[in-house]
Amino acid sequence: MKLFVGLGNPGARYAQNRHNIGFMALDAIASDHGFVPWKNKFQGSVSEGKLGSEKIILLKPETFMNLSGQSVGEAMRFYKLTPDDVIVFHDELDLVPGKIRVKQGGGHAGHNGLRSMHQHIGDTYGRVRMGIGHPGHKDRVAGYVLHDFAKAEQNWLEDVLRGVCDGAVDLAKGDSGRFMNAVALRVQAPRETEAKPANKPQKTAPKEKPEVKDTRSGLQKLADRFRS
C-alpha cells in the first residue's frame, strides 16, 4: 500500500491557486482511475483505489498548508506505513511551469507544507515536485503561490495533470522515470488546435493538348503508312 498526499489549502477560495496543484493532481488521479468518492478522515479528504496492482490511499490534508504533516502523520499511523510508502505532490518554485521531478528525501527549501511534513514524519518521504515557476523576487512569492493560475497557464496545467494520470501506475510501481516521461509526452505534444496541417495547394488538372488537324491528302496518308 502507498499513500499519495497532495498539498494545498481547503476551500473554494484557494481551489485554483498555484499552491494547490498538489490537490489538483490527486483529484485528477481519483477521477481518471475510478477511485471511490472522497470522505473526511485524518483531518483531511481521503479516497481509495488501485493503480495497477498497487492499493493506493489518496490524502488531501485540510489542516491548511502549514499543518499538513499532522494529517499525514495520523494517516500513516492508522495504516502502519513508513515514510518510504509516502509520495507527496506539491508546487515547486524552482522548476519552470510544466516540469515534473520525482525525488526521494531531502530538504523542504522553505515550502511550509514540506516543513510541516518534516516535523511530523521526517524527511525521507518521496516527492513529486510540480513546477509552477518563480515570480522573480522572494518578496512576491506569497502572493504568487496564493494566486490562481492565469488563463495563459491553463493549457500546460491541463497537460501536466493528464500526464500525471497517464503515469500514475508507473509511479505506484516505483518507476519514476516512466512517470516523468508520461508527463513530458503530454506537455511536449502539440495540441489539436496547433497541430492542424497547413492547407495543401490544390492540384490542377493537366491541360489538354490542342488537337492538330491532319491536312494530308489520301495519297500522302497511304504513302506515309507504307513508310512506317
Side-chain angles (χ1 to χ4, degrees):
M1 180 189 295
K2 282 189 170 60
L3 177 65
F4 282 10
V5 177
L7 296 187
N9 289 308
R13 175 184 173 185
Y14 303 100
Q16 300 304 313
N17 284 183
R18 294 184 180 93
H19 222 17
N20 272 43
I21 196 171
F23 275 16
M24 296 176 194
L26 262 60
D27 284 334
I29 291 172
S31 175
D32 197 67
H33 291 276
F35 277 54
V36 301
W38 295 93
K39 59 184 178 182
N40 294 325
K41 201 172 183 181
F42 312 125
Q43 304 178 65
S45 292
V46 175
S47 180
E48 299 182 11
K50 296 193 80 173
L51 293 173
S53 60
E54 197 81 33
K55 183 176 180 181
I56 303 294
I57 307 297
L58 303 180
L59 171 63
K60 296 185 296 183
E62 294 185 347
T63 52
F64 284 92
M65 184 70 79
N66 295 6
L67 301 174
S68 299
Q70 292 180 5
S71 173
V72 178
E74 189 176 329
M76 285 179 61
R77 289 188 292 274
F78 180 85
Y79 291 111
K80 297 180 173 56
L81 300 176
T82 70
D84 288 340
D85 301 315
V86 178
I87 298 177
V88 179
F89 293 74
H90 66 89
D91 56 305
E92 178 58 71
L93 290 164
D94 293 332
L95 289 176
V96 297
K99 283 288 185 184
I100 291 276
R101 291 289 181 268
V102 179
K103 180 181 179 183
Q104 193 72 33
H108 55 67
H111 191 292
N112 288 331
L114 299 184
R115 192 195 306 273
S116 179
M117 296 282 296
H118 279 44
Q119 292 170 352
H120 288 271
I121 71 169
D123 61 1
T124 60
Y125 57 90
R127 306 102 186 270
V128 175
R129 304 164 63 215
M130 307 183 72
I132 61 169
H134 198 286
H137 194 282
K138 64 179 182 178
D139 292 342
R140 295 172 57 197
V141 166
Y144 178 75
V145 299
L146 293 176
H147 195 278
D148 288 359
F149 282 103
K151 273 189 177 181
E153 298 176 289
Q154 293 302 315
N155 283 352
W156 71 254
L157 175 60
E158 182 181 326
D159 289 341
V160 164
L161 296 178
R162 286 181 176 178
V164 165
C165 292
D166 292 346
V169 173
D170 294 312
L171 183 66
K173 289 191 300 187
D175 194 337
S176 59
R178 286 178 67 91
F179 169 73
M180 288 189 288
N181 188 55
V183 177
L185 287 173
R186 282 287 190 179
V187 174
Q188 294 170 7
R191 291 179 154 260
E192 290 180 7
T193 54
E194 300 168 351
K196 291 180 179 177
N199 292 330
K200 294 182 180 179
Q202 293 183 344
K203 292 182 179 180
T204 55
K207 293 182 179 179
E208 293 184 3
K209 293 182 180 180
E211 187 177 342
V212 180
K213 190 174 181 181
D214 194 347
T215 58
R216 294 175 299 169
S217 67
L219 186 60
Q220 286 176 321
K221 289 179 183 178
L222 185 61
D224 289 342
R225 184 178 173 186
F226 280 103
R227 287 197 195 99
S228 60

